Amino acid sequence: MTNAIHVQKISVSALCTVSTGWSFRGRIDPAEGAGTVVVQMRDISLFGVDWVSCVRTEVSGRREPDWLRPGDILFPARGNVSQAVLVDERIGSLQAVAAPHFFVLRVTRSDVLPAWLVWWLNQEPAQRHLEQNAQSSTLVRNIARPALESVPVALPPLPRQEQIIGLARAMQREDALLHRLRQTSQQIMTGLARDLLAG
């Protein structure tokens, strides 16, 4: 009897739709009191989207934007760090769009957890594929949609996806605690140095 887990080998394009962020005609100008926020590169981190820092702006066009919703995945099309970020429940009732330099991935299959796909895209096999297929200039790396859509994904059953996501989140929490601990330690050392200088 074997305990082997069945893992499907499949591409990103078979798991989700991939579209680009909202196309603004010019600069993204802040508009106080506007009903829409736009997610830009500076608003994301490994911990997700910082909705408080997002700019409020007016969105105009002939069509209604495809508003971001929980479960969507943001992936930077440009930059030397290509980390996928999950739009989670913290978006609340915000009307939000992604800036045009993001790809927006929306999972279309019930046997794929968006958080799993985010985790996978940030792992070494997917990152290596993107690195090999990127269009690099001297300053910045560009990811084309076909390169992202062709990323190979190893897809285990849902219970296994949940286990790995749980482990990844626990490690993320541990990293955050260690970061805070290092900051506190540094503040203590700085205080000691100042006290010594003050005599």
Side-chain angles (χ1 to χ4, degrees):
M1 189 170 172
T2 178
N3 286 327
I5 293 172
H6 176 65
V7 176
Q8 299 176 59
K9 305 282 195 305
I10 200 162
S11 67
V12 162
S13 62
L15 303 177
C16 59
T17 60
V18 179
S19 58
T20 52
W22 182 258
S23 184
F24 288 86
R25 290 204 175 108
R27 289 188 331 169
I28 299 171
D29 292 317
E32 200 171 326
T36 300
V37 300
V38 57
V39 182
Q40 300 178 76
M41 285 293 293
R42 64 184 182 215
D43 304 317
I44 66 166
S45 71
L46 286 176
F47 300 103
V49 179
D50 180 1
W51 296 106
V52 175
S53 76
C54 291
V55 168
R56 287 193 170 270
T57 191
E58 298 292 348
V59 172
S60 59
R62 291 181 182 174
R63 62 183 177 89
E64 175 85 358
D66 191 8
W67 305 110
L68 294 175
R69 58 194 193 209
D72 285 349
I73 299 165
L74 302 180
F75 193 89
R78 300 184 65 195
N80 295 320
V81 179
S82 300
Q83 294 284 321
V85 171
L86 182 66
V87 176
D88 60 20
E89 303 297 334
R90 288 177 299 172
I91 189 174
S93 59
L94 278 176
Q95 281 195 324
V97 294
H101 46 260
F102 283 108
F103 290 114
V104 180
L105 289 71
R106 187 165 286 168
V107 170
T108 55
R109 288 177 40 158
S110 59
D111 61 343
V112 182
L113 296 174
W116 161 264
L117 188 53
V118 167
W119 178 83
W120 180 262
L121 287 170
N122 291 338
Q123 300 311 304
E124 193 270 341
Q127 289 289 312
R128 188 173 65 242
H129 174 90
L130 290 165
E131 183 69 41
Q132 290 169 349
N133 291 278
Q135 301 163 350
S136 294
S137 67
T138 52
L139 296 175
V140 71
R141 186 177 74 167
N142 291 305
I143 305 293
R145 188 190 296 195
L148 180 57
E149 289 178 332
S150 65
V151 169
V153 180
L155 185 67
L158 279 170
R160 185 69 171 149
Q161 292 178 43
E162 288 168 349
Q163 282 179 343
I164 292 171
I165 292 165
L167 178 62
R169 284 177 176 157
M171 291 173 70
Q172 201 175 48
R173 285 194 297 271
E174 186 178 311
D175 283 346
L177 284 169
L178 286 170
H179 178 69
R180 285 203 291 273
L181 186 61
R182 280 192 294 271
Q183 283 183 317
T184 303
S185 299
Q186 186 57 53
Q187 286 166 357
I188 291 168
M189 292 294 108
T190 301
L192 280 171
R194 285 175 179 161
D195 288 348
L196 286 169
L197 190 63

